[in-house]
Amino acid sequence: MEKRLVWLMACALVWACAGAAFGQQPQAIRFKTASCVDTQGIGLEVFHMLIPADWQFNGGIQWVMDNPALPAVVAFKVTNPTRTAELEGFPNRMFFWTNNQGLLQMFPQGSRYFGAEVCPTMGAADYLQRILIPRNRQGVNNLRVVSVTPMPELAQGLTGQIGPGVSISSDAAKAKIEYQMGEVWVEEEIYTLVCATTFQMQTMYGTVANVNWGPDFQFSFKAVKGQMAAHSKIFQTMVKSFRVNIQWFNKYSQVVETLIQCQIQQIHTIGKISEIIARTHDEISAMITDSYERRQAVYDKINKDFSQYIRGVDEYYDPVKQRPVELPSGYRQAWTNAFGEYIVSDSPSYNPNPGSNVTWHQLTLRR
């Protein structure tokens, strides 16, 4: 029995590889909900997204507490079983720059100022080429930047005066790169949005400007060269389904505001941050709601840009959660269960219920 099971699994793997090699789609693709939970700090879900059931989610949120404006960072990877395709979310970084020469003498370029790296401001295209790619792709061979494309439409609505002497500016870009991992050539498309908040201050020597800047988010799609289009529907479904939990975002925003107001340089014990978290409230202000919605809109814009590879996604109605859900286009039917899992199938006779220990409900395609 055991030998027969191994033989059947081997046959399934051979047929799966053969289908991929000839560009065939599997009869059905099953999606599950991957959830990132903040176990170190606030204790709530940070975000959730749909990923293929056989893909692996790794990573999460880490509270580093060396920067009051960025006390926690998120980094994750979603990888397929053969490790030939991957969605990666890079950890955010915080940088600081100023035209105050006296301050720069005490904190020269490359040092840390309130936990932020002292570095001159730069646009998204320069940031990709000078910081993100070199620091995150150090171990690859024959790296080549194919193209760097500005994406000003992603920064719309994220620029302007936000208070007396305080302004924010944003810039977005994407880079296409190629490199070798062993004997395999990989192609990758990286997106980033760089935001800078400038504080103008009057001193006895005149007006000085301090700038806190860095990527607001940054992630990439990666696949073996020539296979990006084959995985693009799955990539798009994952990005399209990405949702930050507004309850977590609300409390996190309050924590950041408190840390900045208190001018905390560094917190060494979880007890202190727990006290701050305990003082946060569940009421979500209009400012936090607006910030949350603007961030989510950026993900949607990136997803729209990436859809150049494919026809897009189809919108279905989920009868279990009673809300719309977007899944890869081009399939004849879709199913869901009570655990937030989804299956899309190209076979008109496919039915996941026979032999299943859960009940699957068919979704209605919304035209």
Side-chain angles (χ1 to χ4, degrees):
M1 181 67 181
E2 182 179 351
K3 289 183 178 180
R4 177 172 175 80
L5 179 60
V6 172
W7 179 80
L8 289 172
M9 292 176 64
C11 289
L13 179 60
V14 168
W15 280 109
C17 292
F22 288 99
Q24 298 174 356
Q25 292 182 337
Q27 185 185 48
I29 300 177
R30 183 170 178 170
F31 290 87
K32 62 183 179 182
T33 299
S35 178
C36 173
V37 179
D38 180 3
T39 58
Q40 294 184 6
I42 296 172
L44 298 175
E45 178 192 80
V46 182
F47 67 86
H48 66 266
M49 62 191 299
L50 291 178
I51 69 172
D54 58 346
W55 287 42
Q56 186 69 38
F57 178 96
N58 290 295
I61 185 168
Q62 181 179 6
W63 288 73
V64 291
M65 303 310 302
D66 66 346
N67 187 333
L70 190 66
V73 294
V74 176
F76 66 91
K77 294 180 179 180
V78 185
T79 311
N80 72 343
T82 57
R83 305 187 68 82
T84 56
E86 186 174 82
L87 168 68
E88 180 171 2
F90 301 97
N92 282 356
R93 302 176 186 272
M94 182 67 72
F95 299 91
F96 171 82
W97 192 246
T98 182
N99 61 359
N100 185 337
Q101 297 304 312
L103 186 58
L104 285 178
Q105 289 181 1
M106 293 186 292
F107 297 94
Q109 184 173 343
S111 64
R112 310 282 290 186
Y113 179 76
F114 283 90
E117 181 180 338
V118 180
C119 178
T121 57
M122 60 184 71
D126 284 339
Y127 174 79
L128 283 167
Q129 297 178 86
R130 296 167 57 184
I131 295 181
L132 192 152
I133 295 173
R135 295 188 183 184
N136 289 277
R137 295 295 177 258
Q138 294 180 354
V140 303
N141 298 319
N142 300 318
L143 188 147
R144 181 171 73 94
V145 178
V146 179
S147 64
V148 178
T149 307
M151 303 187 70
E153 67 278 8
L154 295 187
Q156 291 178 0
L158 297 174
T159 300
Q161 201 76 16
I162 60 175
V166 183
S167 61
I168 185 172
S169 61
S170 302
D171 187 40
K174 65 178 178 181
K176 293 182 179 181
I177 62 175
E178 295 177 355
Y179 51 88
Q180 277 186 288
M181 294 186 67
E183 299 298 321
V184 179
W185 276 94
V186 173
E187 58 183 329
E188 185 171 10
E189 185 161 309
I190 307 173
Y191 291 81
T192 191
L193 174 73
V194 173
C195 295
T197 303
T198 302
F199 302 86
Q200 301 282 350
M201 294 180 293
Q202 293 294 331
T203 71
M204 60 184 299
Y205 303 106
T207 302
V208 299
N210 293 341
V211 185
N212 290 325
W213 71 277
D216 196 48
F217 68 87
Q218 45 189 351
F219 66 92
S220 75
F221 308 105
K222 177 169 61 178
V224 171
K225 188 174 181 180
Q227 296 185 13
M228 182 72 82
H231 296 288
S232 56
K233 285 186 179 183
I234 291 175
F235 285 143
Q236 191 184 25
T237 299
M238 289 193 286
V239 174
K240 193 70 175 179
S241 66
F242 187 96
R243 286 293 182 273
V244 175
N245 178 11
I246 192 171
Q247 300 294 339
W248 178 88
F249 184 77
N250 170 50
K251 288 184 173 292
Y252 179 74
S253 299
Q254 293 178 57
V255 169
V256 170
E257 182 179 359
T258 301
L259 293 177
I260 293 176
Q261 289 177 347
C262 294
Q263 294 293 295
I264 298 177
Q265 297 186 37
Q266 189 166 4
I267 296 179
H268 296 284
T269 65
I270 193 64
K272 292 183 180 180
I273 190 62
S274 297
E275 293 174 7
I276 295 174
I277 293 172
R279 292 198 296 271
T280 62
H281 52 80
D282 294 329
E283 183 179 351
I284 305 172
S285 69
M287 181 179 297
I288 289 176
T289 300
D290 179 66
S291 177
Y292 170 85
E293 291 177 347
R294 285 190 284 112
R295 290 168 184 262
Q296 190 60 54
V298 171
Y299 286 107
D300 293 338
K301 288 179 181 178
I302 284 184
N303 174 73
K304 182 179 179 180
D305 174 79
F306 188 68
S307 65
Q308 63 180 303
Y309 288 108
I310 56 176
R311 288 174 290 173
V313 293
D314 285 334
E315 184 177 281
Y316 293 84
Y317 181 76
D318 184 337
V320 177
K321 295 187 176 180
Q322 298 185 346
R323 61 173 176 79
V325 61
E326 290 176 309
L327 298 170
S329 65
Y331 292 91
R332 299 190 181 190
Q333 56 178 303
W335 302 76
T336 188
N337 61 31
F339 300 99
E341 296 179 313
Y342 296 89
I343 292 178
V344 290
S345 174
D346 200 33
S347 171
S349 61
Y350 180 80
N351 187 336
N353 282 296
S356 174
N357 58 357
V358 297
T359 301
W360 292 89
H361 305 271
Q362 191 165 9
L363 277 65
T364 302
L365 180 63
R366 303 184 73 170
R367 301 292 183 180

